[in-house]
Amino acid sequence: MSNKPIKIEDYYEQATFNRIKALADTKETPFVVIDTATVDRQYDTLVGYFPYASVYYAVKANPAVQILTLLRDKGANFDIASIYELEKVLSLGVSPDRCSYGNTIKKSRDIRTFYEKGVRLFATDSEADLRNIAKAAPGSRIYVRILTEGTQTADWPLSRKFGCQNDMAIDLLILARDLGLIPYGVSFHVGSQQRDIGAWDAAIGKVKNIFERLQLEDNIELKMINLGGGFPANYLTKTNELSDYAEEITRFIREDFGDDFPEIILEPGRSLISNAGILVSEIVLISRKSHKSLHRWIYTDVGKFSGLIETLDESIKYPIYTGKHGELEEAVIAGPTCDSADIMYENYMYGLPLNLAIGDRLYWLSTGAYTTTYSAVEFNGFPPLKDYYV
Ligand SMILES: *Cc1c(COP(=O)(O)O)cnc(C)c1O
């Protein structure tokens, strides 16, 4: 059980929390409040640590107009996964040369739409997709996504489903050239909330191998490495600081590529947005399953189907702040719907104040990313999670 009460100052500047709380106090739960100034600062911090890289924001992390326009104005590029995300980003006046189609799973007609709108940078990891790109988006720049290890140390792995082995990546980049495309680079994603910085070392080593073999054997000069996302947000499970990630990753690139870096792309999602948000819920019911039970069940008005899907397998452990003090006791925490999968934490028991009461609010910290859009439309009639921006 986590026995220590959460301290706000470990996660937010007091002024930021006050700003969020002031708005939260006027709204009915459940909802997320996102502090855009924090996103602004996180972006600057990231760019400061990786001055040589260009940032492609992973739109899926939080596609709110408030965030997209902020990042647009700060000069970010956008990693886009569907025609719907594309439409939204372009409608905000972002030019298509700031967009990549980063999803390796796509319909031919959607590739065509991206191409017609002006996008010329495409990810792939398979021959069938590559051939579709060659037909629907002729002459475009291609980067191939490779498989990476490190799924054990990523809290939300993104690996098995995407990417291909190195040998196949090489063949695809050669085929890209033969199909009239531009073999441009290699990408990977070491897994979201990756706690082992060494995962980048292994992946960059694989990329180096691809660069060298293509240069030597086929005279193809790749230009770009896409280091993906995976940078950390602040949850209960500790990680290194972003500055440690930057220092180490920069060293890994230098060790493999020398001082003359290829073009480097980052695709942050979680690390930019999570800590800007707080999800606020209300306790609906507190009960025990037997008279002598040593722990409570705490049911809140937000759950797996209303934004907290990343608690699946208890993968992401959000810090939960109650504002109450006093003795703690273990609790199972569950959502409001009639589905028994709607339990957020049961194996990992949170210690929550004994004096919590029905109607009290829970503040789920670091919930700015991967919450609003994961929320179901109408399960049990509950509306999607609301979001507000300060
Ligand atoms: C989701 C995703 C990201 C963002 O990853 P984070 O770990 O949230 O930073 C980056 N790139 C691709 C291709 C993605 O699918």
Side-chain angles (χ1 to χ4, degrees):
M1 145 169 143
S2 82
N3 252 321
K4 276 183 286 172
I6 296 298
K7 285 197 269 168
I8 285 296
E9 60 266 30
D10 289 342
Y11 296 92
Y12 301 86
E13 282 173 16
Q14 195 61 48
T16 305
F17 181 72
N18 293 347
R19 234 177 2 249
I20 292 175
K21 178 99 175 14
L23 179 71
D25 286 347
T26 68
K27 303 290 182 190
E28 271 212 44
T29 62
F31 56 86
V32 183
V33 182
I34 294 188
D35 180 65
T36 51
T38 302
V39 178
D40 193 314
R41 199 174 56 236
Q42 296 281 90
Y43 183 86
D44 289 342
T45 303
L46 183 77
V47 170
Y49 287 146
F50 290 96
Y52 52 83
S54 40
V55 174
Y56 281 67
Y57 171 58
V59 173
K60 75 172 188 290
N62 186 326
V65 167
Q66 292 87 341
I67 288 175
L68 296 178
T69 50
L70 172 80
L71 293 176
R72 173 200 67 195
D73 295 344
K74 296 187 74 70
N77 307 285
F78 296 88
D79 175 50
I80 293 174
S82 70
I83 52 172
Y84 311 102
E85 283 183 357
L86 179 68
E87 201 175 314
K88 188 168 184 180
V89 169
L90 294 183
S91 77
L92 298 173
V94 174
S95 61
D97 60 348
R98 290 166 65 182
C99 300
S100 64
Y101 196 173
N103 194 343
T104 56
I105 303 160
K106 40 193 166 338
K107 294 174 182 168
S108 194
R109 59 178 178 276
D110 292 350
I111 298 171
R112 171 65 71 178
T113 301
F114 271 69
Y115 183 75
E116 282 170 354
K117 303 273 187 198
V119 176
R120 294 291 181 270
L121 184 57
F122 293 81
T124 193
D125 63 3
S126 69
E127 182 177 337
D129 181 57
L130 182 62
R131 289 188 182 278
N132 280 342
I133 298 171
K135 279 204 205 89
S140 294
R141 287 175 296 159
I142 298 297
Y143 59 95
V144 173
R145 179 154 169 186
I146 57 170
L147 284 164
T148 58
E149 280 94 46
T151 51
Q152 300 307 314
T153 46
D155 289 334
W156 196 256
L158 282 171
S159 229
R160 261 181 321 118
K161 181 172 171 185
F162 309 101
C164 62
Q165 295 284 1
N166 261 27
D167 282 352
M168 182 175 280
I170 288 172
D171 291 344
L172 289 175
L173 286 160
I174 294 169
L175 180 61
R177 179 194 60 190
D178 296 345
L179 292 171
L181 297 159
I182 301 169
Y184 192 63
V186 179
S187 76
F188 56 80
H189 195 304
V190 293
S192 200
Q193 190 69 6
Q194 174 58 262
R195 284 177 282 106
D196 177 13
I197 307 177
W200 276 270
D201 194 13
I204 291 166
K206 284 181 152 196
V207 175
K208 178 193 174 175
N209 180 266
I210 295 173
F211 269 62
E212 284 182 349
R213 281 176 56 189
L214 280 174
Q215 174 75 274
L216 269 172
E217 295 164 25
D218 296 274
N219 205 24
I220 291 175
E221 195 188 333
L222 296 179
K223 298 271 193 313
M224 180 275 277
I225 311 174
N226 180 331
L227 303 178
F231 306 102
N234 277 340
Y235 300 119
L236 277 192
T237 311
K238 285 292 157 232
T239 62
N240 287 105
E241 299 290 332
L242 184 61
S243 56
D244 300 324
Y245 281 71
E247 214 174 279
E248 292 281 280
I249 290 169
T250 303
R251 184 166 63 77
F252 301 148
I253 302 174
R254 186 163 288 123
E255 278 169 8
D256 281 338
F257 289 89
D259 282 331
D260 194 13
F261 281 22
E263 179 187 338
I264 302 289
I265 283 178
L266 308 178
E267 293 177 336
R270 190 183 300 282
S271 60
L272 277 187
I273 314 292
S274 289
N275 293 109
I278 296 182
L279 188 156
V280 186
S281 73
E282 179 183 312
I283 297 176
V284 179
L285 180 70
I286 302 177
S287 68
R288 291 180 197 266
K289 298 291 181 191
S290 71
H291 293 302
K292 300 283 183 217
S293 175
L294 296 173
H295 65 264
R296 296 157 293 170
W297 280 68
I298 295 183
Y299 303 90
T300 90
D301 61 1
V302 72
K304 271 218 168 67
F305 303 104
S306 41
L308 297 178
I309 197 70
E310 288 200 320
T311 60
L312 214 63
D313 296 328
E314 310 191 9
S315 303
I316 299 291
K317 296 189 182 66
Y318 298 106
I320 300 173
Y321 174 77
T322 64
K324 283 200 160 174
H325 305 285
E327 192 183 341
L328 304 180
E329 188 202 50
E330 292 186 348
V332 173
I333 306 174
T337 66
C338 299
D339 188 321
S340 63
D342 193 10
I343 300 171
M344 282 77 84
Y345 303 110
E346 188 174 15
N347 295 315
Y348 183 86
M349 290 246 200
Y350 279 62
L352 292 175
L354 256 178
N355 58 4
L356 272 184
I358 291 173
D360 283 351
R361 286 185 162 200
L362 298 180
Y363 297 85
W364 302 69
L365 309 186
S366 306
T367 41
Y370 302 121
T371 48
T372 53
T373 49
Y374 270 141
S375 180
V377 174
E378 206 186 30
F379 186 50
N380 269 171
F382 291 108
L385 185 65
K386 295 187 289 284
D387 50 343
Y388 303 108
Y389 295 79
V390 287

